[in-house]
Amino acid sequence: MQERKPRFTSLSGFDTNRVYTHNDLKDWSPDEELGAPGQFPYTRGVYPTMYRGRLWTMRQFAGFGSAEDTNRRFKYLLQHGQNGLSVAFDMPTLMGVDADAPLAHGEIGHCGVSISSLDDMERLFDGIPFEQVTTSMTINGPAAVIFAMYLAVAEKRGIRPERLDGTLQNDILKEYIAQKEWLYPPEPSLRLIADTIAYCSEHVPKWHPISVSGYHIREAGSTAVQELAFTLYDGLTYVEAAVKAGLSVDRFAPQLSFFFNAHNDLFEEIAKFRAARRLWAREMTRRYRPVDPRSVQLRCHAQTAGCTLTAQQPMNNVVRTTIQALAAVLGGAQSLHTNSMDETLALPTEDAVKLALRTQQIIAQESEVTNSVDPLGGSYYVETLTNRLEEAALDYFHRLDDMGGMVRAIEQGFPQREILNSSQRYLRESERKERIIVGVNEYVEPVERPIPILKIGLEVEHEQVARLSDLRKCRDSFKMAGAVEALQEAASCGENVMPYLIDAVKAKATLGEICMALKEVFGTYREPVVL
Amino acid sequence: MSPVGSHPFLCDIHDMMILAEQVRTGNIRAVSRLISLLENHPGGREALRLLNSTSRETRIIGVTGYPGAGKSTVVNRLVSCYRRKGLKVGVLAVDISSSITGGALLGDRIRMQEHALDHGVYIRSMATRGHHGGLAQATGDAAFVLEAAGYEVILIETIGVGQNEGDIDDVARIVVAVVAPGLGDEVQAMKAGLLEVAHIVVVNKGDLPDADNTLRDLREWCPNVLRTVATTGEGIPELAAAITAYQQPHAVGPVGEARNC
Amino acid sequence: MTVASAPLRILIGKVGLDGHDRGVKLIARALRDAGVEVIYTGLHQTPEQVVNAAIQEDVDAIGLSILSGAHNTLFRRVLELLKEQDAEDIALFGGGIIPDEDVATLTADGVKALFKPGAPIQEIVTFVKGLKPHG
Ligand code: B12
Ligand SMILES: Nc1nc2c(ncn2[C@@H]2O[C@H](COP(=O)(O)OP(=O)(O)OP(=O)(O)O)[C@@H](O)[C@H]2O)c(=O)[nH]1
Ligand SMILES: [Mg+2]
């Protein structure tokens, strides 16, 4: 029978056969390629029982306006069944700029919560029990500073650091590659990351000092293969930096975590999660020969693909998100964020985010997909895809090795250019209707029904600016300046900066002041032109 | 109404005279407008005569080299260097036009945006618009306009090429070739291209491992080889000094002197 | 006196702290492919930098991409600066995450057009090609 198209391809551009059979898995050995769940190479999952033991953590990325606004949102989400927190910071915070800096004008609270000082951080977590709720913080350039604030809040509450559990994104390489929130050049940035890793391994052992992120790479337009390859290679680069700094792999590798995208191509995405676990286990073992099995286990958070959501017919986004969330669950993710249907309009409203959370709860409680571990293991198609993704990612590994590693590759604009080209291909396909996007290039409705959106007014900015001005007046500026000076000293002589950062935030030095002081030591970064 | 206000066309000699006068007083919009006129219309060259430029002590420095070698970053650093000396600096940065569509993506400016707020710096991106030779047809004329407008140093960045950048030799009195480490066998090929037009050769990205080898290889062929790290500014004062030492300030030639005019 | 075949010159850039550059780069490429000379200023520009650059580059229009929610402040500031510098003949347009009601007020204030997510690139190209060369 005639088929609909001459060629069927996966979202990453692999040709897809009509049907897959045992012939596609000829030299494939389940013992070697799969293992049992919880066993090397962890293709089927990092735990033997997976969701039968414990469901994934439902962790919606949230933050807007002031610390109080966001605190209220956190409590709302917890009240509706969410069991982990994930902080979204606003643009000035992400860029290490204080709310009252000229550059911050017009940007306060629009993209997340505005945090400039320890006081803001305290208000953000007011009434949130650190011992019960794990918190993930999406921050990178200023990650160490924000982490210092978190530790200082815990200290004030009398919670011992050993008890703290959570995640700092702290992944600077993908900032240069995809998200563009850098503060310093790569070398000192990697050193700061090594400092946080070392500090955690000694003082905050349950904390995940880094979340190596493919999400942003994918959202910037990459394919699944590129997401997989660049992310894992970034991860290896951090491991190398920490080992060079004198840590043994088993001291810190078990605490590394990952963050992947869950995009539209259901099976390819499932295969991506599986390939990621296998490839990480293999490469870590090959390169570092760790003793602790946890050092090679890849645990990850996942988020559905914001870039697939549309401004047109926004209700459709709920359906897209459901399918993508299913990919993450069938792929074996440890925690998950589901996007809201108002993704292309603004930060989510309460109602929209609740529906997104309910989507996860329905998958978890009603679909019964959680009953059996890695339910698609052994599928001819999924195993073939898993193999292909792993091979294609390894190809990139070799190219990156040849370039002298990820930092050199970034300087040459290599991953950036690969991603930009993929994003152009994706756009071209939809513009030519080779890829149908419901409501956008097909099934278009002439009149759109608007949905309510969250608005953030200029009051947030006024309030934050006033608070900062009070803080600057009331603090002991002598003490503050001394702490910042000591920090600069530690930064320039290569001492671990974490203790000094904690002192500085406790002395009420602001985020902007600290980042500026570190820029004086570390310098700034200019990205290569990739057009 | 003034030619640089909202006046849409410059069609008569009177308008041209006003425009020329505005250029001479350093009016930025007028400078920009006149360069566009020179790019877009052959008749625009009439205005050059009106500029009545008396030979000033302008230095015109060409910066050429392979794509991505760091030309723009070097130019950016040189701008800072000359600004510290209080000199007004003009930059003409040339990128290639697509031969099919005629469009162009002009990205050199990104490296120099830190000077966008400095009134003593003028930066203009130019597309080749089918012109061969490493510059745009109007680059030489644009340099002349900048000179008339009082810019004391003019830096011209060619398209990223290794050969056929003969134009720069005609327009600039001194040519700096920027290369990055790791040339390998290309040094041989460069002798008939880049090195032929260059008065000073800069091995930029001096922080990369291979820099020493490249410096050594090049020093066998040319007397004036310097190392820079444009991203940090290392070696830039030395480069500026070498440029000064190489030539005393020189006036730009009168209209029509440059080869491609 | 501008000849008909002179390409349009358009400055494309990102202002403010916003780092979302996926869309803006695709637009820059698409305009180049449509025969436009695109001057890209890169990320993290201030309105002052953009307006000065636009004047030096003698562009016909400025196209800004803002996905960070700071559009009301930043587009208005650019309009203000263009006016201060007697450069209102340079058209301002753009796109990004901009709620409908803000699109309405910003266009009323003088922004020529604003494109939202999903706007076909061809539509944007057609709009730009329809801009009159300024001055
Ligand atoms: C991809 C994406 C990312 C990627 C960006 C990668 C990159 N390098 O670009 C990543 C994952 C890194 C990212 C991070 C963040 N993001 Co984001 N992101 C998106 C997302 C999902 C898609 C944007 C996109 O690229 N679309 C594809 C391109 C082709 O479309 P586009 O840019 O919209 O362009 C079209 C039109 O808008 C218009 N257009 C755009 N620019 C211009 C310019 C001109 C001149 C013209 C003519 C037209 C035009 O034409 C284009 C063609 O259709 C949007 C939500 C969405 N679906 O739109 C959120 C979104 C923009 N992000 C958001 C946020 C909050 C963030 C973060 C701040 C999160 C945080 N707190 O940590 C960070 C900040 C990153 C930074 N440095 O700025 C919010 C912004 C909220 C707001 N404005 O109110 C959004 C809306 C999501 C949401 N609802 O929460 N993000
Ligand atoms: N490591 C290192 N990188 C540099 C140095 N100078 C420039 N670069 C980087 O090299 C890349 C290219 O620099 P540009 O200045 O744009 O090079 P260009 O020669 O102008 O490039 P084209 O105009 O595209 O031909 C950028 O990523 C710069 O940051 C340097 O001294 N050391
Ligand atoms: Mg350049």
Side-chain angles (χ1 to χ4, degrees):
Chain A
M1 201 180 96
Q2 177 91 45
E3 295 185 337
R4 281 187 295 114
K5 299 193 273 191
R7 219 179 133 216
F8 289 77
T9 55
S10 76
L11 200 50
S12 276
F14 290 126
D15 276 310
T16 310
N17 296 349
R18 181 181 307 170
V19 66
Y20 287 84
T21 65
H22 62 278
N23 286 327
D24 295 289
L25 294 177
K26 266 209 206 90
D27 304 315
W28 183 81
S29 138
D31 286 344
E32 237 171 75
E33 306 296 330
L34 295 182
Q39 270 173 26
F40 192 86
Y42 305 102
T43 315
R44 310 203 69 181
V46 281
Y47 302 113
T49 57
M50 285 302 289
Y51 304 134
R52 290 168 68 104
R54 193 175 151 274
L55 288 171
W56 63 91
T57 305
M58 299 184 191
R59 197 190 287 286
Q60 298 294 77
F61 184 44
F64 66 92
S66 65
E68 286 85 350
D69 293 330
T70 300
N71 180 272
R72 234 172 285 126
R73 177 62 65 90
F74 283 169
K75 288 175 177 162
Y76 174 85
L77 287 165
L78 291 171
Q79 181 202 331
H80 284 94
Q82 166 166 304
N83 42 17
L85 293 178
S86 169
V87 190
F89 296 97
D90 72 354
M91 284 315 309
T93 310
L94 293 169
M95 298 299 288
V97 171
D98 282 336
D100 57 356
L103 275 176
H105 178 47
E107 314 240 20
I108 307 301
H110 279 288
C111 275
V113 59
S114 168
I115 300 290
S116 302
S117 73
L118 181 60
D119 294 355
D120 292 338
M121 199 71 164
E122 265 190 82
R123 282 195 298 270
L124 178 65
F125 289 108
D126 184 53
I128 307 277
F130 279 5
E131 309 90 319
Q132 284 153 42
V133 183
T134 64
T135 295
S136 164
M137 292 185 282
T138 299
I139 188 128
N140 297 277
V145 189
I146 291 288
F147 186 40
M149 289 183 184
Y150 190 88
L151 294 175
V153 173
E155 187 187 310
K156 195 164 172 194
R157 291 193 193 167
I159 304 166
R160 291 209 315 279
E162 310 85 86
R163 301 197 51 198
L164 295 174
D165 188 355
T167 308
L168 198 61
Q169 194 163 79
N170 205 19
D171 167 8
I172 202 68
L173 292 170
K174 66 91 176 55
E175 295 299 328
Y176 302 122
I177 298 173
Q179 182 163 242
K180 322 280 164 136
E181 293 157 3
W182 52 74
L183 299 186
Y184 324 110
E187 306 296 340
S189 298
L190 283 173
R191 174 262 166 114
L192 267 181
I193 291 168
D195 279 3
T196 50
I197 293 176
Y199 189 84
C200 283
S201 81
E202 198 166 327
H203 303 283
V204 209
K206 277 165 55 185
W207 194 270
H208 303 278
I210 182 166
S211 166
V212 191
S213 306
Y215 181 79
H216 315 79
I217 290 172
R218 190 65 180 279
E219 289 288 296
S222 87
T223 61
V225 171
Q226 290 161 348
E227 177 192 358
L228 180 64
F230 298 153
T231 309
L232 296 196
Y233 202 89
D234 284 349
L236 293 171
T237 308
Y238 296 124
V239 172
E240 189 61 28
V243 167
K244 276 220 182 95
L247 291 172
S248 89
V249 185
D250 287 321
R251 278 288 306 267
F252 67 87
Q255 288 312 105
L256 297 178
S257 65
F258 288 81
F259 174 18
F260 291 104
N261 196 287
H263 212 285
N264 273 340
D265 186 331
L266 183 71
F267 293 111
E268 185 170 73
E269 292 300 292
I270 295 168
K272 180 185 75 189
F273 287 95
R274 303 173 84 246
R277 282 190 295 270
R278 187 160 81 200
L279 188 50
W280 183 250
R282 285 177 171 167
E283 282 296 305
M284 281 296 283
T285 306
R286 190 174 69 78
R287 290 180 192 228
Y288 298 99
R289 308 237 148 257
V291 181
D292 187 341
R294 293 177 311 144
S295 292
V296 309
Q297 293 171 355
L298 180 146
R299 290 177 193 76
C300 70
H301 172 69
Q303 177 170 341
T304 56
C307 63
T308 63
L309 302 186
T310 64
Q312 297 72 17
Q313 306 174 28
M315 305 273 202
N316 298 347
N317 293 334
V318 181
V319 184
R320 294 189 178 99
T321 298
T322 309
I323 298 170
Q324 296 164 3
L326 189 61
V329 170
L330 295 176
Q334 278 57 56
S335 81
L336 179 62
H337 163 104
T338 32
N339 288 319
S340 302
M341 68 178 182
D342 49 3
E343 170 76 12
T344 68
L345 304 169
L347 297 180
T349 60
E350 268 189 2
D351 285 340
V353 75
K354 188 169 73 182
L355 180 54
L357 176 62
R358 293 284 181 255
T359 306
Q360 292 196 42
Q361 291 162 340
I362 289 169
I363 293 175
Q365 308 293 352
E366 299 184 18
S367 74
E368 310 295 351
V369 296
T370 55
N371 293 351
S372 180
V373 177
D374 187 31
L376 291 165
S379 141
Y380 299 124
Y381 181 35
V382 172
E383 296 300 352
T384 306
L385 280 172
T386 307
N387 292 345
R388 271 193 194 166
L389 282 161
E390 185 182 13
E391 277 158 30
L394 268 173
D395 268 356
Y396 269 119
F397 279 22
H398 297 142
R399 287 167 79 180
L400 290 161
D401 282 340
D402 287 346
M403 278 178 222
M406 191 49 108
V407 172
R408 286 282 104 80
I410 289 169
E411 279 171 3
Q412 293 166 38
F414 172 73
Q416 300 95 308
R417 198 168 300 109
E418 291 286 297
I419 294 168
L420 178 58
N421 290 340
S422 299
S423 108
Q424 189 170 30
R425 205 174 312 124
Y426 185 84
L427 178 76
R428 203 184 307 124
E429 284 169 5
S430 56
E431 297 263 318
R432 290 185 186 151
K433 284 178 88 167
E434 289 160 12
R435 196 170 292 292
I436 298 299
I437 302 175
V438 174
V440 175
N441 61 8
E442 194 73 275
Y443 317 112
V444 177
E445 289 172 18
V447 184
E448 291 279 344
R449 219 171 333 140
I451 59 172
I453 64 172
L454 182 79
K455 294 211 181 71
I456 287 129
L458 224 51
E459 330 70 78
V460 181
E461 179 164 337
H462 298 147
E463 195 189 342
Q464 276 297 92
V465 170
R467 274 177 172 165
L468 265 177
S469 134
D470 285 349
L471 175 122
R472 289 188 215 280
K473 266 186 241 137
C474 300
R475 70 187 171 185
D476 178 346
S477 43
F478 206 69
K479 191 169 151 208
M480 186 282 291
V484 172
E485 222 169 276
L487 168 68
Q488 282 187 314
E489 186 67 34
S492 41
C493 72
E495 230 183 302
N496 193 318
V497 294
M498 277 313 299
Y500 297 92
L501 281 173
I502 297 171
D503 285 347
V505 300
K506 286 203 284 198
K508 300 288 167 77
T510 63
L511 176 79
E513 288 161 349
I514 294 175
C515 292
M516 189 50 80
L518 288 177
K519 274 187 188 165
E520 282 168 18
V521 179
F522 294 148
T524 54
Y525 176 77
R526 296 280 218 71
E527 71 166 338
V529 179
V530 176
L531 285 174
Chain B
M1 196 187 281
S2 87
V4 290
S6 49
H7 203 297
F9 294 111
L10 283 165
C11 40
D12 64 28
I13 189 75
H14 178 70
D15 285 343
M16 292 260 206
M17 279 167 68
I18 298 175
L19 185 68
E21 182 50 36
Q22 288 174 326
V23 167
R24 273 199 306 268
T25 62
N27 178 320
I28 298 205
R29 289 224 83 190
V31 168
S32 300
R33 201 55 66 81
L34 182 50
I35 294 176
S36 298
L37 196 65
L38 290 162
E39 282 191 300
N40 295 343
H41 201 283
R45 302 202 65 209
E46 280 304 303
L48 287 188
R49 227 195 311 274
L50 299 172
L51 285 178
N52 228 345
S53 183
T54 50
S55 257
R56 296 187 205 223
E57 308 268 281
T58 303
R59 282 186 232 173
I60 303 190
I61 304 160
V63 178
T64 187
Y66 293 120
K71 298 180 291 296
S72 302
T73 317
V74 167
V75 167
N76 182 51
R77 289 287 176 177
L78 284 172
V79 172
S80 309
C81 188
Y82 290 120
R83 287 301 291 150
R84 274 197 293 276
K85 295 180 185 159
L87 299 168
K88 280 184 77 178
V89 187
V91 177
L92 300 170
V94 186
D95 263 319
I96 205 154
S97 303
S98 154
S99 56
I100 302 161
T101 67
L105 253 175
L106 308 171
D108 292 323
R109 190 182 182 101
I110 303 179
R111 296 251 86 85
M112 310 172 193
Q113 268 303 83
E114 70 192 65
H115 301 293
L117 300 182
D118 180 347
H119 292 298
V121 179
Y122 178 92
I123 302 168
R124 176 70 176 236
S125 314
M126 302 181 86
T128 54
R129 299 191 181 177
H131 185 78
H132 299 284
L135 298 181
Q137 174 92 51
T139 307
D141 289 346
F144 188 72
V145 173
L146 290 180
E147 187 190 18
Y151 291 89
E152 293 147 300
V153 178
I154 298 167
L155 291 154
I156 302 179
E157 178 180 341
T158 69
I159 60 171
V161 281
Q163 275 170 344
N164 301 328
E165 60 285 282
D167 276 8
I168 191 66
D169 203 23
D170 296 330
V171 176
R173 294 311 154 107
I174 176 160
V175 177
V176 177
V178 181
V179 300
L183 291 168
D185 298 339
E186 271 168 76
V187 175
Q188 290 299 325
M190 280 171 61
K191 278 192 289 174
L194 213 49
L195 298 188
E196 213 170 51
V197 293
H199 304 110
I200 297 174
V201 179
V202 166
V203 177
N204 185 44
K205 308 198 185 186
D207 51 326
L208 296 189
D210 219 17
D212 287 332
N213 291 335
T214 308
L215 271 165
R216 193 168 356 92
D217 290 352
L218 285 170
R219 282 192 173 133
E220 278 179 32
W221 301 105
C222 17
N224 252 336
V225 187
L226 298 170
R227 175 212 289 262
T228 60
V229 183
T231 38
T232 63
E234 215 181 303
I236 298 295
E238 290 80 359
L239 172 59
I243 292 170
T244 313
Y246 186 82
Q247 62 147 47
Q248 286 309 305
H250 210 300
V252 74
V255 184
E257 199 193 82
R259 193 184 61 180
N260 298 291
C261 295
Chain C
M1 220 156 81
T2 305
V3 273
S5 67
L8 277 170
R9 284 171 69 83
I10 307 284
L11 182 147
I12 295 287
K14 301 248 357 149
V15 276
L17 299 171
D18 184 13
H20 291 94
D21 62 357
R22 175 179 178 165
V24 77
K25 285 191 169 176
L26 294 175
I27 285 166
R29 280 186 170 187
L31 291 176
R32 173 202 58 195
D33 295 342
V36 174
E37 284 180 7
V38 177
I39 293 109
Y40 182 58
T41 53
L43 293 172
H44 306 150
Q45 300 294 300
T46 62
E48 287 78 5
Q49 283 177 306
V50 161
V51 169
N52 282 6
I55 289 172
Q56 293 178 4
E57 297 288 356
D58 198 35
V59 294
D60 302 299
I62 301 175
L64 298 180
S65 157
I66 306 179
L67 282 77
S68 67
H71 48 269
N72 284 330
T73 309
L74 294 171
F75 275 113
R76 288 224 168 73
R77 182 73 188 129
V78 171
L79 284 174
E80 220 172 84
L81 287 163
L82 285 171
K83 191 167 183 181
E84 273 170 29
Q85 309 227 25
D86 195 17
E88 284 170 292
D89 52 324
I90 300 177
L92 176 63
F93 67 102
I97 306 292
I98 306 172
D100 288 336
E101 53 177 89
D102 295 347
V103 170
T105 54
L106 285 170
T107 45
D109 286 355
V111 179
K112 287 278 166 323
L114 289 168
F115 297 88
K116 299 207 304 171
I121 295 287
Q122 199 43 54
E123 198 179 303
I124 294 169
V125 168
T126 308
F127 163 81
V128 170
K129 297 290 275 188
L131 286 169
K132 279 199 309 276
H134 78 304

